Amino acid sequence: MTTMTKQTATPVTILNDIEYMTDEKGRLNPVAAIKPIDLLRDETVTDIAAKVLRLNGIMKAEKEALFSLAYDFLALSANEYETVYGGKKGNVSLQSYDGRYKFQIAMQDKTVFDERLQIAKNLIDECISEWSTGSAVEIKALVNDAFQVDKEGKVSTYRVMGLKRHNFDHPKWLKAMQAIQDATQVTSTKEYLRVYQRDEKGKYIQIPLDFSKV
């Protein structure tokens, strides 16, 4: 029979009255053969992870409660004018009466590009090759930087869309800009709630909810 014990560390499997622990490769190792420091490390890491998971659950619940408070107020404010709070949710900023605190609800779209982004790159390359050597070198460097991928193999939406700020009237450039526009796909929208506190100099500083910033 197999039983599981130890709730605060890696589970122990008991086979024929011998305790085993499973390692990262899925192998069963006798507990008696594991060094005490390795057992203590396992217990410490698992204990920390359990506490962080509890905090994570609390933060998720509190986040929902905060959004509920915010939108309840917005609905109440709209009711003052016998209407409902409509339009796209988010992108609203409210502050306390004395200006000490401020919170914002912001929306951020997650944008990806389809295959037409590469078509746009090809059009831009053709366009640059038809220009004179002088300015074309600088523009090519700018374009290559915009289409450079990160460690995850993704291009920067900000840099690519920034190319549209250049008002070149070359037909292929214009086609490329249209291809970029057509290639842009908004896959999801995420809602953020940020709270700020005014410091002694009157500047609003975001109150961190991140371990690394506390």
Side-chain angles (χ1 to χ4, degrees):
M1 184 179 74
T2 300
T3 60
M4 307 295 282
T5 62
K6 287 192 179 181
Q7 299 302 311
T8 58
T10 298
V12 171
T13 300
I14 301 177
L15 295 171
N16 299 323
D17 296 328
I18 298 176
E19 293 184 334
Y20 295 88
M21 287 176 64
T22 306
D23 65 16
E24 72 277 7
K25 294 182 179 179
R27 300 172 300 194
L28 286 175
N29 298 308
V31 174
I34 301 174
K35 294 179 180 179
I37 190 65
D38 293 334
L39 292 173
L40 181 59
R41 183 186 302 108
D42 171 71
E43 185 177 352
T44 301
V45 173
T46 306
D47 189 37
I48 290 172
K51 287 180 170 60
V52 170
L53 285 169
R54 284 196 294 271
L55 284 172
N56 181 262
I58 292 170
M59 289 182 69
K60 285 182 178 178
E62 289 297 327
K63 179 181 177 182
E64 293 178 3
L66 290 173
F67 274 114
S68 179
L69 276 172
Y71 282 114
D72 283 349
F73 170 78
L74 293 175
L76 183 63
S77 181
N79 190 55
E80 291 284 306
Y81 299 91
E82 298 181 347
T83 185
V84 295
Y85 184 76
K88 184 178 180 180
K89 284 189 174 183
N91 300 317
V92 64
S93 179
L94 302 174
Q95 67 180 43
S96 62
Y97 189 76
D98 62 1
R100 184 182 179 189
Y101 300 108
K102 176 178 70 172
F103 85 80
Q104 295 177 338
I105 298 177
M107 309 294 287
Q108 182 174 326
D109 293 334
K110 181 179 180 181
T111 305
V112 298
F113 299 104
D114 62 24
E115 80 287 348
R116 286 170 287 191
L117 184 66
Q118 185 57 49
I119 295 172
K121 177 66 165 57
N122 294 340
L123 286 168
I124 292 174
D125 287 343
E126 292 175 13
C127 179
I128 293 173
S129 67
E130 294 177 14
W131 284 335
S132 59
T133 316
S135 60
V137 174
E138 296 176 356
I139 295 170
K140 188 173 183 63
L142 175 72
V143 170
N144 287 338
D145 183 60
F147 283 89
Q148 186 175 4
V149 298
D150 59 18
K151 293 180 180 179
E152 297 178 354
K154 298 178 182 179
V155 297
S156 167
T157 303
Y158 174 78
R159 290 180 179 178
V160 170
M161 299 304 288
L163 293 174
K164 299 179 69 178
R165 294 195 296 265
H166 300 285
N167 295 320
F168 303 132
D169 59 359
H170 193 290
K172 288 184 178 178
W173 181 273
L174 297 176
K175 282 185 179 180
M177 296 305 102
Q178 185 60 53
I180 289 175
Q181 183 67 37
D182 295 340
T184 306
Q185 309 278 337
V186 177
T187 57
S188 62
T189 301
K190 191 169 184 179
E191 196 173 30
Y192 293 90
L193 192 151
R194 302 183 178 97
V195 182
Y196 300 83
Q197 184 175 16
R198 180 176 281 171
D199 63 14
E200 63 277 3
K201 295 181 180 179
K203 181 181 179 181
Y204 280 110
I205 306 297
Q206 185 175 350
I207 301 173
L209 291 173
D210 184 335
F211 275 173
S212 64
K213 297 179 180 178
V214 175

